[in-house]
Amino acid sequence: MNSNSYGKYLGITSFGESHGPVIGVVIEDVKPGIKFPMEEIQKELDARKPGNKEFSSSRKEEDKIVILSGVFNGITTGMPICLIVNNKDIRTKDYDDLKNLFRPGHADFTYFKKFKIYDYRGGGRASGRETIARVAASGLVNDLLKDINIRLYPVQIGKFIVKSIDFSFKNDLSWYDQNNYKELLSYLTDIQKKGDSVGGTVEVKIENLPEGLGDPVFEKLDANLAKAILSIGAVKGIEFGNGFGFAGLTGSEANDQMNKKGFLSNRCGGILGGISTGQKLTFRFVVKPTPSINIPQKTITRENKEIIFKSGGRHDTCIIPRILPVAKSMIKLVLADALNHQKLIAGKKLDLSDYREAINKIDEDILTGLVRRKEISKLIGQYKKEHNLQIEDKKREKELLKNLIKKAQIWNIDKNLVEKIWLTIISESKKNQ
Ligand SMILES: Cc1cc2nc3c(=O)[nH]c(=O)nc-3n(C[C@H](O)[C@H](O)[C@H](O)COP(=O)(O)O)c2cc1C
């Protein structure tokens, strides 16, 4: 399971722990000859980092990007690009007490149950610092998305709700309602003093998106955006267009009617059947209150002993301002995949390098499939040994081949070729068993 990797056309692999030496990302399939957008990426990392926003953790990190490979004289070479930022403000002592307990609201319990070992310092891999990798990588698709405008801002923080939006009202929280901003600040100061935290809801509006982005069934644009956004720590829900509000509407109230000029409303949020309609794409997602709070709470130790825990480390009163650049990065990565795929389907502006890129991907997918098949064959071999079952099963082999040949006929592929490939694969798999 490549759970630390993401993306189809721009493959990224994120690595590093909160209190390890670095957080980093390897980015593959970036075209050669592109100016590496160092300044843009650094600007986006600065927006994400702790300690530079009101009500954010006092951990002081420079988060200065270091390029280890794939860029020569400021230009991409087409080789894997490895970017890192150093973790500097590491106060591992702050986390010494956490060795043995599961912090409420954190991933400690599940990581321990799953892996039996984990880096508990600052949340390890489940830390918000992991998102540096996503923000850094997404800078490489800025050029592709230059005509698309992505705007994100909170519409609710704790009990406060945005009622009127004025985008010219600039502040650290990206809170665009002047009327209740001061009250919100004093509410957050109060929450901070109490050692507590709050969450909220973020609204996203994407303008100038072409129609036709996204694919049927498992590659729906809304499904891919939902997965990307929900992969961000502390994000707990997402809704497109009218979202959960659809529950109370009738069909005649919910449908977006059309005339010859286009849609008469946009309740679906700019996506129908997983494919963009060309209207403004709108969705909202909810962020839970920061789990680390300076308030005593009940929990248990690894030995199942009940204890009272109060977080002593540094944390954000509200994580939303820091999640905004991360969510924008994930949206950019999803849109880059969808745009690149659409370029291939629509057959527009394709050159040899586009075709080669597609072929490279397919070859890579075949190899990945082979590696996974070998791994699974090995596991089957182990299982059969443990259960005293015969390793070779000629009947099943025949059945598998018969099914493949049936499919080959449907797809009009030479059945001898399929048989030859399959026999090679199976003899390779048997070497592992
Ligand atoms: C950018 C970012 C910063 C975060 N900062 C903190 C923090 O300072 N303190 C904290 O307790 N959780 C923080 N979190 C949230 C935790 O990482 C997250 O809630 C935890 O790993 C449990 O995962 P879950 O909430 O998705 O179930 C942050 C998340 C992100 C994305």
Side-chain angles (χ1 to χ4, degrees):
M1 181 80 67
N2 302 330
S3 76
N4 292 284
S5 299
Y6 181 83
K8 292 190 176 64
Y9 289 85
L10 184 83
I12 70 165
T13 298
S14 136
F15 62 90
E17 280 85 17
S18 172
H19 283 52
V22 300
I23 294 279
V25 61
V26 176
I27 312 155
E28 287 189 77
D29 300 323
V30 179
K31 280 189 183 164
I34 299 172
K35 186 177 170 292
F36 183 79
M38 185 75 171
E39 277 166 30
E40 283 171 54
I41 293 180
Q42 190 57 59
K43 208 169 128 200
E44 284 167 45
L45 284 178
D46 289 346
R48 193 225 66 94
K49 74 181 180 188
N52 72 337
K53 293 245 161 84
E54 289 211 64
F55 308 107
S56 95
S57 155
S58 59
R59 178 169 173 171
K60 291 270 181 284
E61 288 289 0
E62 275 184 2
D63 286 354
K64 284 280 169 259
I65 195 167
V66 181
I67 306 170
L68 293 190
S69 67
V71 181
F72 185 62
N73 288 338
I75 306 289
T76 61
T77 60
M79 302 298 123
I81 297 178
C82 183
L83 308 176
I84 57 159
V85 301
N86 291 297
N87 291 324
K88 290 195 169 146
D89 188 7
I90 302 170
R91 291 196 215 152
T92 299
K93 260 193 112 7
D94 277 357
Y95 296 92
D96 265 2
D97 303 341
L98 309 181
K99 268 182 203 154
N100 200 29
L101 60 86
F102 306 127
R103 292 168 302 161
H106 277 279
D108 304 345
F109 176 77
T110 44
Y111 270 50
F112 181 67
K113 290 288 164 188
K114 186 174 174 72
F115 301 106
K116 315 291 181 250
I117 174 170
Y118 69 97
D119 183 348
Y120 56 85
R121 300 164 308 161
R125 189 80 189 122
S127 156
R129 284 194 72 64
E130 163 273 318
T131 58
I132 287 172
R134 309 162 184 236
V135 176
S138 74
L140 284 155
V141 299
N142 284 351
D143 212 33
L144 182 69
L145 303 176
K146 62 180 183 306
D147 298 328
I148 294 167
N149 181 22
I150 307 170
R151 191 165 233 166
L152 303 91
Y153 45 90
V155 286
Q156 178 165 1
I157 291 183
K159 61 179 190 182
F160 278 77
I161 293 174
V162 163
K163 292 193 183 114
S164 67
I165 290 187
D166 172 6
F167 288 126
S168 65
F169 181 55
K170 303 267 180 264
N171 56 78
D172 265 4
L173 300 175
S174 303
W175 185 262
Y176 294 123
D177 191 345
Q178 292 206 46
N179 302 322
N180 56 11
Y181 182 62
K182 276 194 184 145
E183 271 177 274
L184 171 67
L185 289 187
S186 65
Y187 163 73
L188 288 175
T189 308
D190 195 38
I191 296 278
Q192 193 174 39
K193 273 189 199 146
K194 288 180 183 149
D196 216 339
S197 64
V198 287
T201 305
V202 174
E203 186 162 86
V204 181
K205 293 214 187 293
I206 307 174
E207 284 167 330
N208 221 9
L209 203 63
E211 59 188 23
L213 295 192
D215 287 272
V217 190
F218 298 120
E219 290 293 335
K220 289 180 171 175
L221 188 59
D222 39 1
N224 285 341
L225 282 167
K227 180 166 183 185
I229 296 293
L230 287 169
S231 76
I232 302 168
V235 175
K236 291 293 138 197
I238 186 162
E239 59 174 10
F240 290 83
N242 273 39
F244 289 97
F246 277 123
L249 299 184
T250 59
S252 58
E253 290 164 333
N255 291 343
D256 295 314
Q257 299 183 54
M258 297 185 80
N259 66 16
K260 59 185 174 188
K261 287 190 188 148
F263 289 98
L264 301 178
S265 56
N266 186 10
R267 298 186 184 107
C268 67
I271 302 179
L272 281 171
I275 296 171
S276 63
T277 60
Q279 291 168 286
K280 204 183 277 181
L281 200 158
T282 60
F283 66 90
R284 288 177 171 211
F285 63 88
V286 64
V287 178
K288 77 180 190 184
T290 319
S292 293
I293 49 173
N294 298 119
I295 290 177
Q297 291 202 299
K298 289 179 194 162
T299 187
I300 54 166
T301 64
R302 290 185 188 185
E303 291 77 35
N304 210 27
K305 198 177 130 212
E306 291 180 358
I307 55 157
I308 300 291
F309 169 70
K310 188 175 129 184
S311 171
R314 299 156 290 174
H315 69 272
D316 299 50
T317 309
C318 177
I319 337 175
I320 287 185
R322 295 186 49 221
I323 283 199
L324 297 179
V326 179
K328 188 171 181 183
S329 300
M330 291 314 295
I331 294 166
K332 288 195 313 194
L333 291 172
V334 172
L335 294 182
D337 270 350
L339 273 164
N340 273 320
H341 188 58
Q342 184 57 13
K343 217 168 135 190
L344 284 174
I345 289 187
K348 277 184 210 153
K349 290 189 211 150
L350 288 191
D351 56 27
L352 189 60
S353 73
D354 290 317
Y355 289 123
R356 284 189 170 152
E357 209 174 296
I359 287 281
N360 291 350
K361 276 280 154 220
I362 294 167
D363 287 349
E364 236 174 68
D365 286 349
I366 294 174
L367 277 185
T368 313
L370 277 177
V371 172
R372 293 192 67 194
R373 195 187 193 287
K374 273 179 85 168
E375 279 167 6
I376 294 170
S377 301
K378 202 168 152 189
L379 292 175
I380 292 177
Q382 280 167 6
Y383 182 91
K384 284 183 170 172
K385 271 183 205 144
E386 278 162 24
H387 293 80
N388 289 327
L389 297 169
Q390 202 181 330
I391 301 281
E392 196 157 46
D393 186 344
K394 285 280 173 208
K395 196 171 149 221
R396 168 137 171 94
E397 282 179 24
K398 258 192 197 158
E399 221 173 85
L400 285 176
L401 183 59
K402 208 171 105 191
N403 285 340
L404 282 180
I405 286 177
K406 243 193 236 165
K407 282 191 181 146
Q409 277 162 346
I410 297 171
W411 291 332
N412 222 358
I413 312 172
D414 179 1
K415 72 178 179 100
N416 294 324
L417 174 71
V418 171
E419 185 167 353
K420 216 160 102 185
I421 295 173
W422 189 78
L423 288 174
T424 315
I425 292 172
I426 196 112
S427 77
E428 187 63 26
S429 296
K430 278 181 187 170
K431 285 185 194 159
N432 284 316
Q433 287 182 341

